[in-house]
Amino acid sequence: MAHTDLTQGPVPISLFRLTAPMIVGISSNILVSVLEIGFIGQLGTQSVAAITFTFPVVMILSSISLGIGIGASSVIARGVGAGDKTQAKRLGTHSMLLVLGSMSVLSFVGWATIDPVFMALGASPEILPLIHSYLDIYYPCVVLFAATMVSSNVMRANGNANIPGIVMTLGALFNLILDPILIFGWFGFPRWELAGAAAANAISRVATTGVLLYYITHSGLVARHNITERFFESCRAILQVGLPAMATQLIGPVSAAVITRLLASHGETVVAGFGVATRIESVAVMLLFALSASIGPFVGQNWGAGKPERVRQGLRVTYLFCLLWGFLAAIPLVFFGATFASWVDSDPAVVATATFYLAVVPWSHGLWGVLMMSSASFNALGKPIPSTILSFARMFILYLPLAMLLNSFFGHPGIFVATAAANCIMGALGYLWFKTTFFAKHPQSTAT
């Protein structure tokens, strides 16, 4: 069935059916990324530092793709909820064309500027060749990553999360199989090290993208004829939400680049420790990422169908889940963070940096999740500006100034304290803003 109606049935069950496949898909990708950095850790601390330097750039490109995907998901879900399947199909086609064209240009620009960008981020001349070995393969494949992301958004907007979840999981397992073979040169293959990690990712994405494109083409989710008809009209509708969403998503990577530059002033081991900690952290928050990817289509369809009460119920469920999961997931990170970090890199300085991060930041994950849900819901309603303002305020008014201030007094531990403080404060503000805007217009739906 090409379209799944999210406007009927018990709200928790609808959310579970939409989120469960995404939990499997996203968690498999995150777990593979953690195992991958474990493999890279066996190459040495410099290799871990090099891959950590690439995080902000990789996140920037992903954020642009995600912004287009969010815009497409918002307008498609509202169209499906209103019963306009023809428009939904046309928007799905044009979102794919838009992301493929834009990412082709950006990948070339990124590849041509590797040296100046990473020197500005504080990478040493010794690490630049390692960064090149990864990005020289990664950049040409950015279009594949973008196509996977947007096609998944198109399917979820139509209420179908099963296929993206399954394909993401199988692709992640394929990536995991290839990683040690290409990184360490098993079974007679050449030892490519960081280039092997990039190649494994690229090969798995070729397969993933092919399957997803085949599915959306043959299941009626995109138009197969007159594909450029009303293209610019569709782009305007997609980018009306997509551009602010893209700006919102880009705020994180840009601030991450600044934070990486601050950490680089304390040495490569601190950068490596930060990279290890954030990969471990991603395992703890993977359910929140999956839920934030699902709440948008749910809110969009129900808003398009004129059912604000179901939107309220959905938000209440997700908010409570975020707070509970954030607390429970923090406990093992706090008590076993040093052990987890040592599995990746045994360097004492790297372990110490990661351990402090994992003792402080995870306590803020619950409210960070609340912020994710509020932002995704604003986007789904076709009101992306509040989401952009929240992200901008979190990063540039609160997080970065506080991180710089605490860094000057306490060094890199102060940066991690600033991370936790920003998550908590902006999570609470995100909840209050959504409550006072959406729920104020629907007093029968007073937030709990």
Side-chain angles (χ1 to χ4, degrees):
M1 185 177 179
H3 304 278
T4 299
D5 190 352
L6 301 175
T7 65
Q8 305 295 327
V11 169
I13 293 177
S14 296
L15 281 170
F16 176 77
R17 288 175 177 171
L18 192 61
T19 305
M22 293 309 302
I23 290 174
V24 176
I26 290 176
S27 63
S28 61
N29 277 276
I30 288 174
L31 289 172
V32 167
S33 73
V34 172
L35 293 172
E36 182 178 78
I37 202 169
F39 296 142
I40 292 171
Q42 296 181 43
L43 303 176
T45 297
Q46 274 201 336
S47 293
V48 176
I51 203 71
T52 303
F53 272 111
T54 68
F55 287 172
V57 172
V58 170
M59 288 167 60
I60 285 172
L61 294 172
S62 296
S63 296
I64 294 171
S65 303
L66 185 58
I68 295 173
I70 289 171
S73 179
S74 176
V75 291
I76 291 171
R78 281 180 277 139
V80 171
D84 192 346
K85 305 296 176 61
T86 301
Q87 182 188 26
K89 186 184 297 187
R90 183 176 65 251
L91 289 164
T93 302
H94 294 161
S95 65
M96 294 301 301
L97 295 177
L98 178 61
V99 77
L100 291 174
S102 59
M103 296 312 294
S104 296
V105 174
L106 290 172
S107 64
F108 176 77
V109 172
W111 175 78
T113 58
I114 290 176
D115 284 353
V117 166
F118 286 95
M119 289 176 66
L121 288 177
S124 66
E126 293 77 19
I127 284 186
L128 277 177
L130 295 175
I131 293 173
H132 262 286
S133 68
Y134 185 84
L135 290 182
D136 284 347
I137 295 175
Y138 175 84
Y139 271 129
C141 300
V142 162
V143 173
L144 298 175
F145 307 148
T148 299
M149 191 175 299
V150 174
S151 57
S152 295
N153 274 281
V154 169
M155 281 186 270
R156 287 197 298 274
N158 283 278
N160 189 336
N162 291 328
I163 295 298
I166 293 170
V167 173
M168 286 172 65
T169 301
L170 294 177
L173 293 175
F174 186 36
N175 192 352
L176 180 61
I177 292 170
L178 291 176
D179 261 334
I181 294 174
L182 300 181
I183 291 173
F184 302 119
W186 290 2
F187 307 119
F189 282 84
R191 181 185 173 93
W192 284 354
E193 299 190 349
L194 286 182
N201 203 342
I203 293 169
S204 65
R205 288 293 178 153
V206 170
T208 301
T209 303
V211 172
L212 292 177
L213 289 179
Y214 175 85
Y215 184 84
I216 64 173
T217 301
H218 288 80
S219 60
L221 301 184
V222 294
R224 302 178 66 177
H225 305 286
N226 300 320
I227 61 174
T228 59
E229 182 181 354
R230 300 172 66 181
F231 173 71
F232 293 106
E233 177 185 334
S234 296
C235 287
R236 282 194 296 271
I238 293 167
L239 294 178
Q240 184 177 2
V241 175
L243 282 177
M246 194 183 300
T248 301
Q249 297 297 320
L250 282 170
I251 289 169
V254 170
S255 65
V258 176
I259 294 300
T260 301
R261 183 68 183 87
L262 287 175
L263 294 171
S265 66
H266 298 288
E268 292 171 0
T269 55
V270 171
V271 174
F274 174 69
V276 170
T278 51
R279 286 291 180 100
I280 295 171
E281 175 188 48
S282 65
V283 176
V285 298
M286 59 190 178
L287 295 187
L288 303 183
F289 289 145
L291 191 56
S292 68
S294 301
I295 190 63
F298 176 86
V299 170
Q301 282 199 25
N302 283 283
W303 180 255
K307 296 185 176 182
E309 176 61 22
R310 286 178 62 84
V311 174
R312 182 202 69 83
Q313 293 177 30
L315 265 294
R316 181 185 180 188
V317 169
T318 58
Y319 285 152
L320 291 175
F321 177 83
C322 287
L323 295 174
L324 179 60
W325 177 257
F327 175 76
L328 294 176
I331 295 173
L333 296 183
V334 170
F335 288 101
F336 302 105
T339 302
F340 297 151
S342 66
W343 291 347
V344 178
D345 193 321
S346 59
D347 186 306
V350 173
V351 172
T353 300
T355 300
F356 185 83
Y357 183 100
L358 295 173
V360 173
V361 177
W363 296 117
S364 67
H365 287 165
L367 283 168
W368 185 25
V370 169
L371 179 61
M372 290 184 204
M373 303 311 139
S374 297
S375 295
S377 298
F378 274 126
N379 288 331
L381 296 175
K383 303 177 184 297
I385 299 302
S387 179
T388 303
I389 293 173
L390 285 168
S391 293
F392 182 89
R394 175 178 178 264
M395 291 298 178
F396 297 112
I397 296 178
L398 183 60
Y399 180 30
L400 290 181
L402 187 59
M404 292 177 184
L405 176 65
L406 296 182
N407 178 58
S408 66
F409 284 102
F410 305 108
H412 69 269
I415 297 174
F416 303 155
V417 172
T419 303
N423 287 344
C424 291
I425 294 170
M426 295 310 301
L429 289 177
Y431 165 76
L432 291 173
W433 194 345
F434 196 87
K435 176 182 177 180
T436 56
T437 54
F438 175 79
F439 294 117
K441 297 179 181 179
H442 304 278
Q444 75 276 18
S445 302
T446 304
T448 300

